[in-house]
Amino acid sequence: MKKINILIVDDKIENIISLTALLEDIEYVNIISSTDPNEALKICWKEEIDLALVDVQMPEINGFEFVTFLKKNPKTNHIIPIMVTAISKEDKYLIQGLNSGAVDYLYKPLNPEATIAKVKSFVQQLLIQQEIKEKNIALEESKQAILKAKEEAELARKSKETFLANMSHEIRTPINGIMGITQMLKNSQLTVEQENWIYKLDSASQNLLTIINDILDLSKVDSGMMKLNMESTSVHDITDDLNNLFIDKANYKGLNFNIEVDDRINSYFLTDPLRLKQILTNFISNSFKFTSAGSVILKIQLLTESNQQIGLQFQVIDTGIGIAEDALEKIFIAFEQGEDSITKKFGGTGLGLAIVKRIAALLNGKVFASSEYGKGSTFSFECTFDKIEDKPKEKETQVLYTELPKFNSPMILIAEDNELNSFMLANILKSWDCEITLATNGQLALQEINRKKIDLVFMDAHMPLMSGFEAIKEIRRHMNPAIANMPIISISASVLKAEQQEALDAGANEVVGKPFDPIKLYKTIEALLSKLK
């Protein structure tokens, strides 16, 4: 702790010596003295003086004048002055000293004990003030460090979002083309061998899309951006979807895939069915990946039930390679596998179970795993749900996009710089009797709009020369009301809400992400074209 500087000002050296002797044993005190008040003022300006003991009767400048000078100068007005006097204790002198700025008096002859006690009291006050000041400085420094860390974290988050947006766009764009062409081939006449090829192509593209979605989901959960969409669900609604999803894969791998549901479970409950299925899909996919013979079983059991809630346990049990006991804790950590050799042999990013753990926490549930190395593993999710009487919404019957009703030959402009994507989208639209015009950037799209009667525009978000956002804004500013108000669908490979909102803010009527669902795309077009009638 920094010492308190005490200045003793007295024209008689013997007074300074005696007062110094009294005070020098006080802790955290450094004593400075002067017999010349002018010199003492200079000391106050140059040194960090905290407390001044000033004799009242001095030649040239008396104590009252000295204290007045201290208090008028911004560099010295913080100094605490104490008057030391041998003159009368009359009120007029006391008031004169206090009016000049003094805070107390010491009377000669000095009482040693009283003098030491008074000075100690002021020193203690100054030490406390000093400590508070130091803590305030430290607090301010800490605050600035926190603000800087927050700014750096925000910058890192924005950089991460930008990177993910760019990567999402760059990777999803070719995936969109691959999946679109796959859908087109599924709707064509194929041999058995070709159907097998298409199945493998579809599976590979779905796996690649899953990896991209996993990375984005992990980012969403970690940044607190993932929101749950709660709705009424039944166990059988979940299991029907999972059975349809994995039965073909089980047959292809020659595995026995079963779903066993506790007969006592017959209630509807409130959850996010998409995220619940995501947990179970990850478990089942994992089991399929590491099981070459035997079975994969999804077992759903009733744990607890009351009038308001139901507790369920979901278990996926396989006869796969198993997990070593010391590796069980690692499997729910992002980018980790049970063993380093797993990635080389079986592939995978190690993201699936990390996301599962985070989603389980969002649902107020818990996940865990048990395994016997070489014999199989069990992945479990336990959660308590609120019961609800409303039944889940009826599922729509799935149809092929080529079976949907035809449109009345609308002219549709596709502004897309990726040739594969524009080819795929054009073919889907042609199957609905749409006429197609193509443009590879925003400028060419504007030229086509001025040259032809366009009924609807598909505008890619990212294109050279002029982006989709800029082109949409130009359309909305057009002098011709028919053009300015034409329906525009923004198509983007980004799934980030900020970029989708940017398209809507620019003037797009709808935003469709790549890869898109042809059925949903049809309904979007149908809704927009119906407004033109």
Side-chain angles (χ1 to χ4, degrees):
M1 188 176 288
K2 193 178 79 170
K3 287 189 173 184
I4 301 299
N5 286 327
I6 298 178
L7 175 65
I8 300 174
V9 187
D10 197 307
D11 60 323
K12 295 180 179 178
I13 189 67
E14 60 269 25
N15 289 339
I16 290 177
I17 292 171
S18 62
L19 192 51
T20 300
L22 272 178
L23 304 179
E24 61 185 0
D25 290 334
I26 299 175
E27 286 187 314
Y28 304 113
V29 162
N30 178 46
I31 297 174
I32 303 169
S33 62
S34 176
T35 56
D36 182 352
N38 287 304
E39 182 64 29
L41 285 173
K42 291 179 182 178
I43 293 172
C44 289
W45 295 332
K46 292 179 180 179
E47 304 291 338
E48 293 184 8
I49 302 300
D50 302 295
L51 183 65
L53 303 180
V54 184
D55 184 37
V56 171
Q57 292 177 304
M58 292 185 293
E60 297 184 24
I61 301 174
N62 65 35
F64 302 132
E65 293 170 331
F66 183 90
V67 172
T68 301
F69 286 138
L70 287 184
K71 290 302 176 182
K72 284 184 177 180
N73 192 319
K75 289 184 67 176
T76 59
N77 62 11
H78 66 281
I79 297 172
I80 297 175
I82 298 176
M83 309 302 288
V84 182
T85 181
I87 62 175
S88 173
K89 296 183 181 179
E90 291 179 21
D91 286 348
K92 65 177 182 179
Y93 295 112
L94 177 62
I95 292 169
Q96 187 178 358
L98 294 175
N99 285 340
S100 66
V103 297
D104 208 343
Y105 266 85
L106 290 173
Y107 295 98
K108 297 176 184 177
L110 297 174
N111 180 314
E113 291 178 356
T115 301
I116 293 172
K118 275 193 176 184
V119 173
K120 267 188 175 180
S121 174
F122 283 109
V123 167
Q124 190 61 37
Q125 287 182 39
L126 288 164
L127 287 172
I128 291 171
Q129 289 176 10
Q130 180 181 302
E131 186 178 2
I132 292 171
K133 185 178 180 181
E134 288 174 355
K135 285 184 177 179
N136 284 337
I137 291 171
L139 188 63
E140 183 62 28
E141 289 175 351
S142 177
K143 179 183 173 183
Q144 293 302 321
I146 290 170
L147 289 173
K148 185 179 180 183
K150 185 179 177 182
E151 288 174 2
E152 290 175 351
E154 182 65 15
L155 184 62
R157 185 188 66 78
K158 288 182 178 178
S159 298
K160 179 181 175 183
E161 280 191 3
T162 302
F163 172 77
L164 287 173
N166 291 336
M167 288 300 98
S168 172
H169 180 269
E170 293 304 318
I171 298 173
R172 279 174 173 269
T173 296
I175 292 175
N176 179 56
I178 293 167
M179 295 181 75
I181 298 294
T182 303
Q183 289 294 324
M184 290 164 58
L185 289 172
K186 279 184 177 180
N187 285 274
S188 63
Q189 295 294 322
L190 299 171
T191 65
V192 174
E193 185 180 27
Q194 288 171 336
E195 285 180 356
N196 187 41
W197 294 347
I198 294 301
Y199 169 80
K200 289 180 178 178
L201 179 62
D202 190 37
S203 178
S205 58
Q206 288 288 354
N207 287 339
L208 187 55
L209 185 60
T210 298
I211 292 170
I212 300 302
N213 287 338
D214 280 350
I215 293 171
L216 291 169
D217 279 348
L218 189 66
S219 174
K220 282 182 185 177
V221 177
D222 288 345
S223 62
M225 293 173 61
M226 179 175 281
K227 306 298 180 187
L228 297 176
N229 296 313
M230 309 297 278
E231 58 184 74
S232 177
T233 309
S234 73
V235 164
H236 296 288
D237 184 46
I238 300 292
T239 56
D240 287 347
D241 285 349
L242 293 173
N243 187 65
N244 292 335
L245 186 62
F246 288 102
I247 193 65
D248 288 339
K249 191 168 187 176
N251 292 334
Y252 181 78
K253 288 198 72 172
L255 296 174
N256 185 21
F257 177 58
N258 287 319
I259 299 177
E260 301 174 4
V261 180
D262 193 325
D263 293 335
R264 296 173 295 169
I265 303 172
N266 53 21
S267 303
Y268 298 111
F269 54 92
L270 201 62
T271 189
D272 185 328
L274 177 66
R275 297 305 174 188
L276 177 55
K277 280 185 278 190
Q278 188 173 359
I279 291 173
L280 300 178
T281 298
N282 264 290
F283 282 170
I284 297 169
S285 295
N286 237 37
S287 289
F288 270 109
K289 183 190 293 186
F290 299 115
T291 304
S292 57
S295 63
V296 175
I297 300 171
L298 169 60
K299 186 179 289 187
I300 305 175
Q301 293 179 296
L302 179 68
L303 294 180
T304 59
E305 187 170 13
S306 66
N307 290 333
Q308 290 80 33
Q309 292 185 316
I310 182 169
L312 300 177
Q313 181 189 63
F314 301 83
Q315 287 187 316
V316 176
I317 306 162
D318 66 54
T319 56
I321 62 173
I323 305 166
E325 188 175 348
D326 60 352
L328 274 173
E329 293 182 4
K330 290 176 25 178
I331 63 174
F332 289 105
I333 301 173
F335 301 104
E336 289 284 357
Q337 297 275 18
E339 298 176 27
D340 293 338
S341 60
I342 291 294
T343 302
K344 294 179 182 178
K345 187 174 181 180
F346 294 95
T349 59
L351 283 174
L353 292 180
I355 295 167
V356 159
K357 186 173 182 179
R358 288 162 169 80
I359 294 173
L362 280 177
L363 292 170
N364 295 318
K366 59 181 180 179
V367 292
F368 49 92
S370 60
S371 183
E372 189 174 350
Y373 193 60
K375 293 188 177 181
S377 304
T378 299
F379 298 92
S380 303
F381 169 58
E382 292 182 1
C383 190
T384 299
F385 305 95
D386 291 331
K387 289 168 66 173
I388 192 166
E389 293 182 4
D390 294 339
K391 294 182 180 181
K393 295 177 182 177
E394 290 292 329
K395 293 182 183 178
E396 297 179 2
T397 305
Q398 291 295 315
V399 296
L400 296 174
Y401 72 82
T402 50
E403 298 172 352
L404 294 169
K406 310 296 183 185
F407 293 120
N408 189 23
S409 303
M411 177 61 74
I412 295 182
L413 170 64
I414 300 174
E416 164 70 77
D417 63 318
N418 185 283
E419 186 178 351
L420 179 59
N421 280 332
S422 60
F423 167 76
M424 176 271 301
L425 181 55
N427 274 273
I428 292 175
L429 294 174
K430 285 176 183 177
S431 73
W432 300 328
D433 277 0
C434 298
E435 296 182 22
I436 306 299
T437 296
L438 300 176
T440 55
N441 61 59
Q443 287 184 357
L444 293 176
L446 292 175
Q447 292 176 18
E448 292 296 329
I449 286 168
N450 286 313
R451 202 166 58 86
K452 295 180 182 178
K453 184 184 180 302
I454 304 295
D455 296 301
L456 185 144
V457 178
F458 277 93
M459 189 73 74
D460 185 30
H462 301 282
M463 293 183 290
L465 299 181
M466 180 184 283
S467 73
F469 301 139
E470 294 172 303
I472 292 171
K473 290 175 183 177
E474 287 294 323
I475 293 170
R476 294 303 183 218
R477 289 194 290 261
H478 204 282
M479 297 292 291
N480 185 340
I483 293 176
N485 296 308
M486 69 168 50
I488 302 173
I489 298 174
S490 175
I491 49 177
S492 172
S494 174
V495 294
L496 295 180
K497 295 291 184 185
E499 185 165 313
Q500 293 177 1
Q501 188 59 48
E502 187 178 357
L504 295 172
D505 292 342
N509 299 91
E510 298 288 345
V511 179
V512 175
K514 303 175 187 176
F516 50 75
D517 180 350
I519 308 300
K520 290 182 180 178
L521 182 67
Y522 178 90
K523 290 180 179 179
T524 302
I525 296 170
E526 184 180 40
L528 291 174
L529 290 179
S530 66
K531 294 178 182 179
L532 299 177
K533 295 177 183 179

